[in-house]
């Protein structure tokens, strides 16, 4: 009998893959727009894309977290050793932490630097954070460190998924991939 035949619920899968797609666009956009020697129009477009998709993503991340806290995930396969289960759970907690930290530090970096966030400005929101070079620098450092941790953790996350899907062939991958059953 397959362990964990149900897997994640449909909303959990939709949150996971929707946010994953957005994050996988945010990371290369962020890394490219901060490179030297980029043409000004391309850099401006990437900044506008990155800032606005990032703030748009934030309510979805909060909704996902609220859903997760009220709907426990399916148990991990019995065949997994305890230490691997502990690492899997810890990595998920860290991923959620970074999903919160990244938009908040990005927002603070931009607002404390005195820059626009077109979507929020268009909606008539105030800046919420006063201009401060010190705060902008701190938030920039945090955003950069968070980005590097996120990239490292996602590499591990995808490698672990491949291991489950291709080598162990257990219920982890079918438990998150869209088709149920
Ligand atoms: C790119 C951004 C991604 C983020 C931020 C992310 C985040 C997460 C988080 C937080 C969980 C835990 C879900 C929970 O228990 O509530 C999870 C589970 C999972 N993710 Fe991702 N993920 C991403 C991309 C991917 C990709 C590209 C793959 C596959 C190649 C993948 C495969 C999985 C699988 C199979 C699970 C289920 C793990 C389990 O059953 O414990 N994820 N992901
Ligand atoms: C899940 C959300 C986010 C992810 C994964 C992400 C990822 C990244 C990455 C990988 C970089 C390049 C590394 C760096 O220079 O820090 C970056 C830079 C940047 N991001 Fe984000 N970001 C997110 C949200 C946001 C938001 C919401 C804003 C602003 C509203 C923002 C503003 C910026 C800015 C201004 C930079 C350039 C930093 C600098 O001044 O050097 N980010 N981001």
């Amino acid at each position: 009998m397959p362990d964990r035949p149900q897997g994640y619920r449909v909303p959990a899968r939709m949150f996971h893959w929707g946010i994953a797609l957005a994050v996988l666009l945010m990371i290369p956009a962020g890394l490219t727009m901060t490179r030297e020697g980029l043409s000004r129009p391309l850099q401006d477009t990437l900044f506008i894309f990155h800032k606005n998709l990032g703030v748009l993503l934030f309510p979805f991340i909060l909704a996902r977290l609220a859903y997760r806290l009220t709907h426990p995930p399916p148990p991990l396969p019995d065949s997994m050793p305890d230490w691997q289960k502990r690492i899997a759970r810890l990595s998920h907690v860290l991923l959620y932490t970074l999903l919160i930290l990244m938009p908040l530090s990005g927002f603070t970096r931009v607002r404390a630097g005195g820059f626009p966030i077109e979507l929020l400005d268009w909606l008539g929101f105030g800046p919420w954070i006063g201009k401060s070079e010190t705060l902008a620098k701190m938030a920039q450092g945090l955003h950069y460190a968070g980005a590097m941790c996120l990239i490292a953790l996602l590499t591990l996350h995808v490698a672990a998924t491949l291991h489950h899907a291709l080598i162990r062939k257990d219920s982890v991958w079918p438990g998150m991939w869209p088709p149920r059953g």
Side-chain angles (χ1 to χ4, degrees):
M1 205 178 78
D3 43 12
R4 221 171 66 144
Q6 296 292 317
Y8 282 88
R9 292 175 174 89
V10 171
R13 297 184 198 216
M14 286 167 64
F15 274 131
H16 177 271
W17 291 108
I19 291 171
L21 177 69
V23 167
L24 291 177
L25 293 172
M26 292 291 289
I27 293 175
L31 293 174
T32 310
M33 73 198 193
T34 46
R35 273 177 40 189
E36 305 256 322
L38 216 59
S39 78
R40 193 61 202 267
L42 177 60
Q43 190 176 42
D44 287 349
T45 308
L46 286 175
F47 260 98
I48 290 174
F49 172 78
H50 186 89
K51 288 185 297 181
N52 292 282
L53 181 61
V55 292
L56 203 61
L57 206 54
F58 193 55
F60 288 96
I61 291 170
L62 291 182
R64 177 180 182 186
L65 203 58
Y67 183 85
R68 170 63 159 82
L69 294 173
T70 48
H71 298 78
L76 286 162
D78 293 338
S79 52
M80 270 173 82
D82 279 350
W83 67 270
Q84 282 183 15
K85 288 186 182 172
R86 271 199 295 277
I87 291 181
R89 284 192 209 104
L90 176 68
S91 71
H92 295 164
V93 172
L94 290 175
L95 281 169
Y96 280 120
T97 308
L98 289 168
L99 284 181
I100 297 285
L101 177 87
M102 292 308 290
L104 288 181
S105 57
F107 177 87
T108 308
R109 190 266 172 272
V110 171
R111 286 314 206 194
F115 298 106
I117 299 176
E118 293 71 14
L119 181 68
L120 298 183
D121 297 341
W122 180 72
L123 288 172
F125 290 107
W128 290 334
I129 294 175
K131 232 179 137 182
S132 155
E133 268 312 305
T134 319
L135 185 60
K137 274 252 165 304
M138 275 171 54
Q140 185 182 28
L142 203 61
H143 199 70
Y144 182 79
M148 295 305 120
C149 292
L150 184 61
I151 292 168
L153 211 54
L154 282 177
T155 308
L156 190 76
H157 188 68
V158 172
T161 302
L162 287 176
H163 179 74
H164 282 286
L166 303 177
I167 295 170
R168 299 176 81 116
K169 298 191 171 65
D170 59 18
S171 56
V172 167
W173 173 248
M176 184 52 101
W177 185 239
R180 288 191 64 140

